[in-house]
Amino acid sequence: VDPARGAMPQLVLLVFSYAGLVMIIHSGYAWAAQSVRKFLSSAGGRRWFQRSSGLVFIGFGLALVRAGR
């Protein structure tokens, strides 16, 4: 941002730059979600997700036990 230049053209450039980056990032999220969906809808992916989320909850439980001491 250059204070010597007009504010409106700079604002428009910043808005369009931000909007473009948001579209690119959200497209990446959508692509990643599509890939993860294919993986998690398989039997092996579902089993992996269940086991890993179970380990996370076991970790939460252990953290609670340690915090109570």
Side-chain angles (χ1 to χ4, degrees), residues 8-50:
M8 188 55 75
Q10 293 184 75
L11 179 63
V12 169
L13 178 64
L14 286 173
V15 166
F16 281 112
S17 298
Y18 178 75
L21 286 172
V22 166
M23 287 181 65
I24 290 170
I25 290 168
H26 286 183
S27 296
Y29 289 156
W31 175 80
Q34 183 179 12
S35 299
V36 169
R37 178 180 175 224
K38 289 178 184 177
F39 173 70
L40 290 179
S41 54
S42 69
R46 196 169 28 253
R47 185 172 40 252
W48 175 86
F49 181 75
Q50 289 173 346

